[in-house]
Amino acid sequence: MNRCDTSPLLAYHEALEQLTSSVAAVGKVVDKPLLQVRGAVLAESIKSEIDVPGCAMSSMDGYAINTTDLAASGETSLPLSQRIAAGTAGETLASGTAARIFTGAPIPDGADAVIMQEQVDADDHGIRFDSRPTKGNNIRPAGNDIQRGNIILHKGCRLRAQDIGLAASVGLQTLPVYEPVKVGMFFTGDELVEPGQKLGAGKIYDSNRYTLHGLLESMDCEIVDLGLVGDTLAATREAMLRASSLADLVVTTGGVSVGEEDHVRIAIEQLGELRLWRLAIKPGKPLAYGQINETAFIGLPGNPVSVFATFCLFVCPVIQIMQGRDWHQPIALAVSADFDWPKPDSRREFLRARLALDPSGQTVAQIYPNQDSGVLTSTVWADGFVEIGENQTVQAGEPVNYLPFARFFS
Ligand code: AMP
Ligand code: MG
């Protein structure tokens, strides 16, 4: 009997720990223009060389005044001495006058508050008001957002729209980012044909290729796609060598069980190092992990639901570490179960689930009625996983951990 059949099941957290501790950042750095960095990982922490805003600014359309000019009580009248629009610099405020001022315009020297235009009666000569602004009202001080010398973005963050906006706000044109991780992939199985082709007897359409493309694109990886590979050792070895010479990580689907047609395992054993795990998780039992020269390798099961789940659980962390990110386990949301899960299983289960509101307005997790690992529809219906621990049962109303899919790729 093959050792894979007799080896004990490996617990989820143990497998994750082994995988994540065995990879490192690829680490090639390149300076890229801001408009090309969304989704890339920042290679250095960034300090601002300026204050933002650079000087005190009005946060309202209104009138800049000096609070010492306010009447002791009742109405104050002040003549207008100047007009300051955004993008222009005013002059020092003449004592006993007000300056017409607009949002984003610099506060003139000598002014210490802005009174909103809604609180003022204005004519050509000046303004009258009886509200009593205090010093600093409606003024954004210099450095209110960012102070010169402060770190604004930390090394290892994956750049989102708002991160790039912040870099622009301190005047940067480019950011140092890591080059995308190159992921080589191929898909094994003589039964597979590509969509668009005729489906002969015993054949199925290849779906894993399309799922993996989308998943890798959402993680901003560079994809090296070698397509379908037949179930022979020679073809599998050739694809494996080619993929490993072109990529930082090779991901395959299928061919990692112990059948005679499962050549991925043997190819890796011949070409590099292999660890073959029987994981104590559902879906997704067999998972191969190894190395060919400098290239990491993960062999996912063939079953499309297992591919989706094991990609989220194991490939995402590996890629994030290779991207130079600070990887940490996605944080689960605690919500109420809207289902019963009465049968304990010795494997940790990742049920395809989604959030809904129950009639009382409480957030609950629902599960797809058919949790068979061959039902890819469950991954489309769902937005996340409910994680059920080993030997755990659940009754409706009890709290469960919900892991949104998006948290794996973010
Ligand atoms: P294997 O791990 O190669 O034994 O495959 C397990 C199951 O997944 C089999 O039913 C395969 O037909 C199916 N499968 C493997 N690769 C794919 C693929 N690329 N797309 C859809 N189903 C697949
Ligand atoms: Mg196969």
Side-chain angles (χ1 to χ4, degrees):
M1 185 180 278
N2 191 291
R3 65 185 162 81
C4 185
D5 286 331
T6 52
S7 59
L9 293 184
L10 185 65
Y12 164 57
H13 288 107
E14 241 175 87
L16 191 59
E17 165 60 28
Q18 285 193 40
L19 265 178
T20 52
S21 61
S22 66
V23 283
V26 176
K28 289 176 217 147
V29 181
V30 59
D31 270 320
K32 278 200 181 165
L34 288 197
L35 292 180
Q36 292 171 22
V37 297
R38 199 200 58 76
V41 177
L42 191 64
E44 283 166 30
S45 291
I46 302 295
K47 278 188 185 167
S48 173
E49 293 185 0
I50 58 170
D51 288 330
V52 179
C55 63
M57 292 201 166
S58 178
S59 64
M60 291 284 170
D61 289 339
Y63 297 87
I65 58 159
N66 189 310
T67 50
T68 57
D69 293 334
L70 295 176
S73 62
E75 191 179 87
T76 300
S77 293
L78 295 173
L80 283 183
S81 55
Q82 59 177 320
R83 185 176 189 278
I84 311 168
T88 61
E91 284 159 13
T92 301
L93 185 70
S95 171
T97 72
R100 179 71 168 123
I101 196 163
F102 298 90
T103 306
I107 302 295
D109 287 345
D112 64 6
V114 170
I115 181 163
M116 284 166 69
Q117 63 187 22
E118 290 81 353
Q119 296 176 339
V120 163
D121 283 326
D123 59 27
D124 290 347
H125 307 294
I127 55 171
R128 284 184 309 282
F129 53 93
D130 53 17
S131 58
R132 316 233 14 114
T134 52
K135 225 174 157 169
N137 272 182
N138 301 318
I139 291 179
R140 293 194 179 118
N144 189 37
D145 183 2
I146 297 164
Q147 281 133 50
R148 180 203 306 236
N150 281 3
I151 291 181
I152 56 162
L153 294 169
H154 290 268
K155 177 181 171 171
C157 73
R158 185 171 183 223
L159 293 161
R160 306 162 298 172
Q162 61 268 44
D163 303 319
I164 300 165
L166 196 71
S169 80
V170 303
L172 293 173
Q173 281 184 293
T174 62
L175 284 172
V177 295
Y178 291 115
E179 282 190 348
V181 170
K182 278 192 209 145
V183 182
M185 57 185 184
F186 62 89
F187 312 92
T188 70
D190 281 344
E191 71 278 33
L192 303 174
V193 295
E194 285 301 316
Q197 290 174 4
K198 197 163 171 292
L199 205 56
K203 304 287 186 185
I204 59 166
Y205 286 120
D206 164 26
S207 60
N208 289 343
R209 181 181 196 181
Y210 300 87
T211 309
L212 277 191
H213 258 269
L215 291 168
L216 290 168
E217 275 169 19
S218 67
M219 299 193 74
D220 292 289
C221 293
E222 188 178 322
I223 298 170
V224 182
D225 181 358
L226 301 188
L228 299 181
V229 170
D231 283 323
T232 68
L233 182 58
T236 310
R237 272 182 60 118
E238 194 191 311
M240 198 70 81
L241 273 177
R242 188 137 179 262
S244 63
S245 70
L246 296 171
D248 305 308
L249 167 71
V250 175
V251 178
T252 62
T253 70
V256 289
S257 319
V258 291
E260 285 150 42
E261 302 293 340
D262 295 316
H263 300 290
V264 169
R265 178 175 56 87
I266 300 163
I268 289 284
E269 270 171 352
Q270 292 180 356
L271 298 171
E273 282 168 50
L274 176 84
R275 260 162 277 168
L276 185 62
W277 291 330
R278 291 199 316 142
L279 297 173
I281 65 164
K282 224 172 157 180
K285 195 161 43 166
L287 190 107
Y289 166 67
Q291 186 110 10
I292 312 151
N293 300 321
E294 294 301 295
T295 304
F297 162 77
I298 300 180
L300 302 178
N303 181 323
V305 180
S306 306
V307 165
F308 183 79
T310 51
F311 186 95
C312 293
L313 299 172
F314 298 107
V315 184
C316 284
V318 163
I319 289 177
Q320 287 170 3
I321 293 168
M322 293 180 82
Q323 286 174 328
R325 297 175 61 185
D326 294 328
W327 178 77
H328 52 81
Q329 186 99 29
I331 297 167
L333 309 173
V335 293
S336 282
D338 198 29
F339 59 90
D340 291 315
W341 196 254
K343 269 194 3 201
D345 195 304
S346 59
R347 289 153 71 187
R348 181 169 289 258
E349 302 203 46
F350 292 88
L351 307 178
R352 274 72 70 213
R354 70 184 185 194
L355 297 182
L357 291 179
D358 74 3
S360 70
Q362 199 195 2
T363 304
V364 294
Q366 301 175 331
I367 55 169
Y368 191 68
N370 187 347
Q371 291 287 331
D372 185 303
S373 69
V375 177
L376 194 54
T377 309
S378 66
T379 62
V380 172
W381 178 90
D383 288 323
F385 297 113
V386 160
E387 185 177 358
I388 309 269
E390 292 84 358
N391 301 313
Q392 188 192 340
T393 57
V394 174
Q395 279 188 344
E398 286 180 351
V400 285
N401 277 346
Y402 177 78
L403 288 157
F405 294 147
R407 295 216 170 164
F408 292 96
F409 317 126
S410 61

